[in-house]
Amino acid sequence: MTTIKIDGHGLSIGQAVAAASREGSDFTVSEDALTAMNASRNLKLEILATGKPIYGVTTGFGDSVNRQISPEKTARLQNELIRYHLNGTGPLASDEVVRATLLIRANCLARGNSGVSLPVVDLLLDFLRHDILPTIPERGSVGASGDLVPLCYLAYALTGQGEVRHRGEIRRAADVLAELGLEPVTLEAKDGLALINGTSFSSAFAVLNTEAAAGLADVADICTALASEGLLGNRGHYAPFIHDEKPHGGQGASAALIHSLLEGSELAMTYDQVVDLNDPLDGRHYQKLTRSIQDRYSLRCAPHVNGVLRDMLDWVRTWMTVEINSSSDNPLFDPSTGAVYSGGNFYGGHVVTAMDSLKTAVAGVADLLDRQLALLVDEKFNNGLTPNLIARVDDDDTEAGLQHGFKGMQIACSSLTAEALKHAGPASTFSRSTEAHNQDKVSMAPIAARDARNVIELTREVAAIHLLAACQAVELRGVDEMSPRTRAVHTRIRKEAPFAAKDRQMDGDIAAVVEMISSGAITEAARAGGDL
């Protein structure tokens, strides 16, 4: 079992994803983090004793900042804060999102600037250890002051109230804690605000999206390689020289992967091989080429589309790593100077921009694959394949004219792509003035993050339909002429999704391939086929 050290500085996206998937992780808080948390809590209590106003500790929240209360009321104020935000709507967040939220919030508080009491972080980690998952509605946060509404459901469960999901059942939090011998948190001054006044819910979606999008980048290149074979494409389009001369790292990586996937293919030939298929002019002034020496954009420019996603992931990872290792609440305490600072670290500006950008790039990949599929099924453009990829049949066969193959699959794929593109609009431009114009500029980070999740899920389905069609196409061409690596992908898909010899229900095939994409089985098959 891997132990993840919580210190507010070193949490990686990979660790957060592993914890979200419950892959054998345990958690410990570093000694430095314990010291820092104690110091900021002690400073909070010292200032509290002076009677000076501290935002959200001895004052109301947001626009109510000008109303100060006595120190005796501070604990109750934190509980009231949680209760009045329990108004989330929509579906409950997935187990993976909730686990990631618990870990990220614990890590941000362990950085040691938030003035929280130690039992808060301890119980967050106990929830992870025992897989106690607060039921958190997805909707209701504007992404500043942090994810107030969803994180209130987390905080409510820590106090032994509300409901949690445990061992597959939704139960009262108090009952689960008592059963496991865990004590609910008794909130003191600032604890409630520290729990809810941050970007951890949005960030949980974002880190999971980042990992999922990285997997899709590989799958998109595998799709392109298979489509190139199905369409008798020119693999010279992915030659290193071309992409070295426009040296975007992601573009080069995509081109290199497609090029290596097609190594040894007799269907997608090199540029010279394609040229040599055509007869020499021999003094003639004109001829129509036997085979085009240049493919349509959706094949030829695939590295330029998917490469954008690959390059974008580099800076999205950087931004999100900073975000999940930050003090994202307000106010913050500095024990070295004895000062308390009010600011806006709860603002999800980097999260929303990362997710708005990521979903746009992923939707672009969905559109790319949809265009490749349109070429594969259309007899006017698929270089001699059957209409809609139906099984070959003689004109005088009794089945002639009855089958429509992948016509319906292409319609479904077009719908999925349109929906992905619809979600790609930037959420950050929809800032609303809220809370009596105190929160007069907000990030909308959780909306962007949820949209990105939706676009990724839709793009997986687009890729699944594409892969099924491409496998049908190469089987019509001749599997023996495929490259070793694309043939390995074909073999893996055919284990669960057979060749469509006649029209049949195919939603089960789509679901099976979506699962292969999500689990990494498609990428692993491509690697194994090349002995990597």
Side-chain angles (χ1 to χ4, degrees):
M1 179 175 289
T2 303
T3 298
I4 298 175
K5 183 169 287 188
I6 305 299
D7 61 7
H9 297 273
L11 182 65
S12 70
I13 289 175
Q15 288 173 324
V17 171
S21 301
R22 201 161 171 74
E23 293 179 356
S25 297
D26 196 12
F27 313 92
T28 182
V29 182
S30 74
E31 289 299 322
D32 288 345
L34 291 171
T35 300
M37 284 191 288
N38 269 321
S40 67
R41 175 180 178 265
N42 290 337
L43 175 58
K44 173 191 71 178
L45 296 177
E46 290 171 11
I47 299 174
L48 186 62
T50 68
K52 294 179 180 178
I54 309 173
Y55 171 73
V57 179
T58 58
T59 74
F61 305 105
D63 184 60
S64 302
V65 64
N66 58 356
R67 299 181 176 93
Q68 186 176 1
I69 61 172
S70 65
E72 293 77 22
K73 293 183 176 182
T74 55
R76 182 178 173 189
L77 180 67
Q78 299 302 302
N79 286 283
E80 297 298 330
L81 168 69
I82 293 169
R83 269 190 286 271
Y84 83 77
H85 281 105
L86 293 170
N87 47 27
T89 65
L92 297 179
S94 69
D95 291 357
E96 291 77 15
V97 167
V98 177
R99 292 187 193 113
T101 301
L102 288 164
L103 178 62
I104 293 167
R105 198 74 213 119
N107 189 61
C108 291
L109 296 179
R111 193 172 172 92
N113 303 304
S114 301
V116 296
S117 54
L118 297 184
V120 169
V121 173
D122 287 340
L123 193 55
L124 282 168
L125 297 180
D126 279 334
F127 269 44
L128 274 172
R129 292 185 185 100
H130 295 281
D131 209 30
I132 307 168
L133 306 178
T135 54
I136 304 177
E138 286 191 354
R139 299 179 191 139
S141 173
V142 295
S145 289
D147 297 317
L148 297 175
V149 169
L151 289 178
C152 270
Y153 287 83
L154 182 152
Y156 202 47
L158 291 178
T159 65
Q161 303 175 85
E163 293 181 327
V164 296
R165 187 183 294 112
H166 184 59
R167 295 176 182 170
E169 296 181 7
I170 293 179
R171 301 173 55 194
R172 292 176 62 242
D175 294 341
V176 173
L177 292 175
E179 184 178 288
L180 296 171
L182 298 174
E183 289 292 327
V185 163
T186 300
L187 298 178
E188 65 176 37
K190 178 68 194 316
D191 282 354
L193 184 59
L195 280 165
I196 74 169
N197 189 210
T199 62
S200 300
F201 186 67
S202 299
S203 295
F205 276 98
V207 297
L208 294 171
N209 290 342
T210 301
E211 184 80 1
L216 269 178
D218 288 337
V219 169
D221 289 332
I222 294 168
C223 286
T224 295
L226 279 160
S228 182
E229 289 190 307
L231 290 164
L232 301 179
N234 180 346
R235 72 174 187 259
H237 298 323
Y238 316 114
F241 173 81
I242 298 171
H243 304 280
D244 288 345
E245 297 308 310
K246 190 175 186 181
H248 292 296
Q251 176 184 324
S254 275
L257 178 54
I258 299 168
H259 195 259
S260 67
L261 286 166
L262 291 173
E263 187 68 33
S265 175
E266 297 177 35
L267 296 172
M269 296 181 177
T270 67
Y271 178 81
D272 288 341
Q273 288 174 320
V274 173
V275 168
D276 289 344
L277 290 174
N278 297 290
D279 295 329
L281 281 174
D282 287 338
R284 289 173 292 144
H285 295 289
Y286 168 82
Q287 72 171 337
K288 185 174 182 180
L289 296 178
T290 304
R291 186 157 161 180
S292 174
I293 62 172
Q294 185 166 276
D295 296 335
R296 289 176 172 82
Y297 283 14
S298 61
L299 286 181
R300 189 171 11 132
C301 300
H304 307 75
V305 176
N306 200 29
V308 173
L309 173 58
R310 290 186 179 277
D311 283 330
M312 187 175 294
L313 282 166
D314 288 341
W315 60 262
V316 168
R317 288 188 184 102
T318 298
W319 282 14
M320 291 314 307
T321 300
V322 171
E323 193 73 28
I324 65 177
N325 288 285
S326 299
S327 295
S328 59
D329 60 306
N330 175 56
L332 300 177
F333 298 89
D334 181 3
S336 67
T337 62
V340 57
Y341 294 93
S342 288
N345 280 6
F346 48 70
Y347 196 91
H350 284 80
V351 181
V352 73
T353 302
M355 291 299 100
D356 274 349
S357 302
L358 187 68
K359 68 185 182 184
T360 301
V362 173
V365 169
D367 192 40
L368 176 80
L369 301 183
D370 178 62
R371 295 300 81 215
Q372 292 177 2
L373 174 64
L375 296 177
L376 284 165
V377 301
D378 193 333
E379 62 183 315
K380 296 186 294 297
F381 304 107
N382 64 15
N383 290 334
L385 288 170
T386 56
N388 299 299
L389 305 178
I390 61 172
R392 297 191 187 280
V393 61
D394 294 333
D395 289 346
D396 58 356
D397 193 294
T398 57
E399 291 296 312
L402 294 177
Q403 305 301 311
H404 289 79
F406 278 71
K407 184 185 288 288
M409 292 280 269
Q410 194 271 330
I411 293 170
C413 189
S414 183
S415 169
L416 296 167
T417 302
E419 189 169 348
L421 294 169
K422 176 184 76 73
H423 283 298
S428 56
T429 59
F430 288 89
S431 173
R432 311 289 298 161
S433 183
T434 65
E435 202 263 304
H437 296 295
N438 173 58
Q439 299 177 13
D440 58 351
K441 174 65 176 170
V442 294
S443 73
M444 298 300 184
I447 297 175
R450 294 200 321 272
D451 280 349
R453 183 267 317 271
N454 294 339
V455 170
I456 288 166
E457 290 178 350
L458 289 161
T459 302
R460 281 198 193 107
E461 294 170 357
V462 168
I465 293 175
H466 179 293
L467 285 167
L468 288 164
C471 284
Q472 185 89 355
V474 293
E475 208 153 337
L476 291 169
R477 296 285 188 197
V479 173
D480 291 344
E481 296 184 273
M482 299 176 71
S483 81
R485 295 180 71 182
T486 56
R487 193 182 310 131
V489 174
H490 172 271
T491 299
R492 179 65 185 87
I493 290 172
R494 284 292 178 248
K495 286 182 179 180
E496 298 181 51
F499 179 80
K502 292 185 178 181
D503 290 348
R504 60 178 174 80
Q505 185 172 355
M506 297 191 74
D507 50 2
D509 301 64
I510 298 170
V513 179
V514 166
E515 177 56 31
M516 292 183 213
I517 293 170
S518 301
S519 68
I522 295 295
T523 306
E524 182 55 37
R527 289 196 185 107
D531 296 323
L532 295 182

